[in-house]
Amino acid sequence: MTDTQSYNPGDRRFGRVNWLGLSTLARREVMRFLSVWTQTLLAPLVTAGLFMVIFTIAIGPNRGEVMGVGFTTFIAPGILMMTVIQNAFANTSSSIVVSKVQGNIVDTLMPPLSAAELVLGYLAGGVARGLLVAIAIALALWLVLGLSPAHPLVALVFVILGAAFLSALGIVAGVYANKFDQMAAITNFIVTPLAFLSGTFYSVEALPRGLYQITHLNPVFYLIDGARYGMIGVSDSSPLLGFAVALAATIAVSLLAFWFFRTGYRLKS
């Protein structure tokens, strides 16, 4: 590359992967949240515990069994997955928005990293944070409730898919948002409703027909439902269908993130 040529981070690499650059970006994203672990790992554990306590005290005694299991056992996997996806989204979106606001996003875009490598690097950080949060909550559920995964591999697959899906969505949101208030609006009006209106605290079988159908259009519902099947062995829908929907949604959002980096959308201005 001559001095007069400019490097485009989205240039095609034709089979050559910049493993050093990719691993460095991934390591940066992981160290970024580990350096403030009390906020990124301990705080989600406390929040999940508070959800469990509040809903168990307020509703549990009068709720009885849901789908053949106790109410506390029923909501535990949903709270686990909800916490995972919220933290995975926060990891990638905050990283990109902070870099844009501080004006140092160029430090990420200038190195010889392709668009795909940028997406994978950010995803690695979000998935790592999601997995660590899931492990911490699962350990707490085992110690407090004696709850161990009925299908560990299924639970792991859905946790990884959930973290990857919301990490990719966080990349898209982070690239789109230019200010913190825009990011807050996306979190409050898109991510939070997707997480809460997805069967986390109830079985969708109890919903009216209209809401039942709308819920099945929400990819997060399938993540919650898949995690519930993996943890306690019951679900509202087929785990295979949930896996297919979650995988398709993750690929679709990741491709959108790839296009954003490939074209420099809202990054090169």
Side-chain angles (χ1 to χ4, degrees), residues 95-110:
S95 179
I96 295 174
V97 169
V98 168
S99 294
K100 290 173 69 176
V101 171
Q102 292 180 344
N104 58 23
I105 187 68
V106 65
D107 294 337
T108 302
L109 299 177
M110 283 188 65

Side-chain angles (χ1 to χ4, degrees), residues 30 33-34 40-41 44-45 80-81 83-89 91 123-140 152-167 231:
V30 171
F33 74 79
L34 285 180
T40 56
L41 299 177
L45 178 61
L80 182 149
M81 179 59 79
T83 308
V84 166
I85 63 178
Q86 288 176 337
N87 280 270
F89 176 85
N91 202 74
L123 285 182
V127 171
R129 179 170 168 180
L131 275 174
L132 289 178
V133 168
I135 291 171
I137 296 176
L139 180 60
L153 183 59
V154 174
L156 177 62
V157 167
F158 275 95
V159 165
I160 293 175
L161 266 180
F165 173 53
L166 267 294
S167 293
M231 291 294 294

Side-chain angles (χ1 to χ4, degrees), residues 18 28 44 63 66 117 125 131 156 212 237 256:
N18 183 352
R28 187 197 74 179
R63 188 65 174 83
V66 182
E117 290 161 355
L131 275 174
L156 177 62
Y212 176 87
S237 64
L256 179 59

Side-chain angles (χ1 to χ4, degrees), residues 51-248:
F51 270 117
M52 291 289 297
V53 171
I54 291 170
F55 276 89
T56 300
I57 293 175
I59 302 176
N62 302 319
R63 188 65 174 83
E65 291 190 346
V66 182
M67 300 178 67
V69 298
F71 180 72
T72 302
T73 300
F74 177 82
I75 66 173
I79 291 176
L80 182 149
M81 179 59 79
M82 183 181 70
T83 308
V84 166
I85 63 178
Q86 288 176 337
N87 280 270
F89 176 85
N91 202 74
T92 52
S93 61
S94 63
S95 179
I96 295 174
V97 169
V98 168
S99 294
K100 290 173 69 176
V101 171
Q102 292 180 344
N104 58 23
I105 187 68
V106 65
D107 294 337
T108 302
L109 299 177
M110 283 188 65
L113 289 168
S114 69
E117 290 161 355
L118 288 170
V119 171
L120 289 174
Y122 278 110
L123 285 182
V127 171
R129 179 170 168 180
L131 275 174
L132 289 178
V133 168
I135 291 171
I137 296 176
L139 180 60
L141 292 175
W142 176 68
L143 292 174
V144 177
L145 300 178
L147 180 62
S148 58
H151 307 285
L153 183 59
V154 174
L156 177 62
V157 167
F158 275 95
V159 165
I160 293 175
L161 266 180
F165 173 53
L166 267 294
S167 293
L169 191 61
I171 295 174
V172 171
V175 172
Y176 179 81
N178 287 323
K179 297 182 293 185
F180 290 116
D181 57 345
Q182 293 176 340
M183 193 69 255
I186 295 172
T187 301
N188 293 332
F189 296 113
I190 297 179
V191 178
T192 300
L194 284 176
F196 276 83
L197 303 177
S198 55
T200 303
F201 306 104
Y202 54 85
S203 170
V204 297
E205 297 295 333
L207 295 175
R209 182 170 180 80
L211 287 176
Y212 176 87
Q213 293 174 338
I214 292 173
T215 299
H216 280 75
L217 299 176
N218 178 4
V220 178
F221 158 72
Y222 296 97
L223 294 171
I224 299 288
D225 204 48
R228 181 169 288 128
Y229 178 80
M231 291 294 294
I232 61 177
V234 300
S235 61
D236 284 306
S237 64
S238 167
L240 288 177
L241 173 62
F243 173 79
V245 172
L247 181 62

